[in-house]
Amino acid sequence: MTERITQYRNDGLTFDVVDSGPIDGDVVVLLHGFPQTAESWTAVSELLHANGFRTLAPNQRGYSPGARPKGRRQYTIPKLTDDVAALIDLVGGPVHVVGHDWGAAIAWALTATKPELVRTLTAVSVPHTGAFLKAMAVGTQALHSYYMLIFQLPWLGERFAQLAMPRSGMTADALAVTQAEVFDSGALTPALNWYRAMPFVNPKSAFTPVVRPTTYIWSDGDIALGRKGALLTEQFVHAPYKFEIVEGANHWLPDQHPELVARLIAERAGT
């Protein structure tokens, strides 16, 4: 598709998209995490544009004002991956898929279940879901993920998220955007429904490996994601694989290390 995409529809919902860069460039789909929006990819996108890539960054289910269905069952991983698949079908796949945080979890799931839509995968921060679950059982990931239990609780989860973000290492600029685009816009509860839908994860599908060239970027200062899951991820990639450790960095890599993230995306896309 050689026309700009500002919105698209799937499952009766309307999603907003930031479509930028050379219109005829190879497409990179950028999936944001919690509690951010497409804006979190701005710095990375600009660097990718300079390398000839077109970027599509959707505000995903719960974040786009026209895509906030009620009820946690509306935020299961199959529904979230179908939303991204609809965008790729619209632009014409396969494409390069990149995700950070929850966006990485959806990128892993999309690549595992719909590999025909994906040329390459770059996952930032969050490991393959199978590696994450194994690390919960045999490592310390469960301790890192205590907040997920708090997020299950109505009202308390919302309040905890608002209090925790300033302590998470986000920059002041990123916090201001999150406050305006998520906390103040009515998106927080729908965004938390991604966590509240986790009990409906299909354990078998969570362990499906990916078969597309993959780069996984993890930072050793990430308080939410331990080393065990990062190291186990290689077991779930049956294709060329690169594991990049960013020393001394926290969770918010696209915001705080856009040059590194963009370079690794471009390198993977060139394979």
Side-chain angles (χ1 to χ4, degrees):
M1 184 176 186
T2 56
E3 297 179 357
R4 292 294 183 191
I5 301 170
T6 58
Q7 289 186 327
Y8 75 100
R9 290 184 59 79
N10 183 57
D11 197 23
L13 307 173
T14 300
F15 298 85
D16 298 326
V17 182
V18 178
D19 178 356
S20 49
I23 193 71
D24 58 349
D26 284 351
V27 174
V28 179
V29 172
L30 300 165
L31 305 176
H32 66 80
F34 176 87
Q36 296 187 291
T37 63
E39 196 278 339
S40 64
W41 288 110
T42 298
V44 171
S45 293
E46 291 174 353
L47 294 164
L48 290 174
H49 302 159
N51 283 284
F53 293 101
R54 176 186 179 185
T55 60
L56 295 176
N59 285 323
Q60 297 184 82
R61 183 175 291 231
Y63 295 84
S64 285
R68 295 178 183 171
K70 295 186 177 182
R72 60 179 181 163
R73 288 182 179 273
Q74 295 299 314
Y75 296 84
T76 59
I77 287 178
K79 286 185 174 293
L80 297 167
T81 55
D82 283 348
D83 292 340
V84 180
L87 174 60
I88 296 173
D89 286 340
L90 182 62
V91 73
V95 301
H96 305 289
V97 176
V98 181
H100 172 246
D101 187 82
W102 258 111
I106 302 310
W108 285 113
L110 177 76
T111 306
T113 59
K114 302 178 187 295
E116 69 279 3
L117 299 181
V118 180
R119 292 176 63 182
T120 68
L121 166 65
T122 302
V124 186
S125 298
V126 169
H128 187 283
T129 306
F132 180 84
L133 292 175
K134 287 184 70 173
M136 290 278 280
V138 303
T140 61
Q141 185 57 52
L143 297 176
H144 291 283
S145 299
Y146 74 94
Y147 64 92
M148 293 184 179
L149 292 175
I150 301 175
F151 283 170
Q152 301 301 313
L153 304 174
W155 185 84
L156 185 59
E158 281 79 352
R159 185 60 178 157
F160 180 79
Q162 291 174 310
L163 293 173
M165 285 306 110
R167 301 179 177 88
S168 70
M170 291 181 79
T171 65
D173 287 346
L175 280 169
V177 173
T178 292
Q179 184 69 44
E181 295 192 352
V182 181
F183 296 162
D184 295 343
S185 76
L188 180 54
T189 294
L192 286 171
N193 279 337
W194 290 42
Y195 290 94
R196 292 167 180 167
M198 289 176 70
F200 308 120
V201 169
N202 182 330
K204 182 178 179 180
S205 64
F207 287 91
T208 303
V210 300
V211 294
R212 291 292 180 265
T214 297
T215 294
Y216 172 44
I217 311 169
W218 173 78
S219 44
D220 63 5
D222 193 322
I223 61 174
L225 296 154
R227 185 178 294 270
K228 187 69 172 179
L231 295 175
L232 288 171
T233 290
E234 186 174 9
Q235 299 178 10
F236 296 91
V237 181
H238 298 175
Y241 177 68
K242 178 182 177 65
F243 176 36
E244 182 81 12
I245 299 176
V246 188
E247 296 182 355
N250 65 23
H251 180 72
W252 309 105
L253 291 173
D255 293 297
Q256 299 179 23
H257 297 274
E259 295 87 358
L260 173 64
V261 173
R263 176 176 61 82
L264 292 170
I265 294 169
E267 288 177 358
R268 174 50 67 197
T271 59

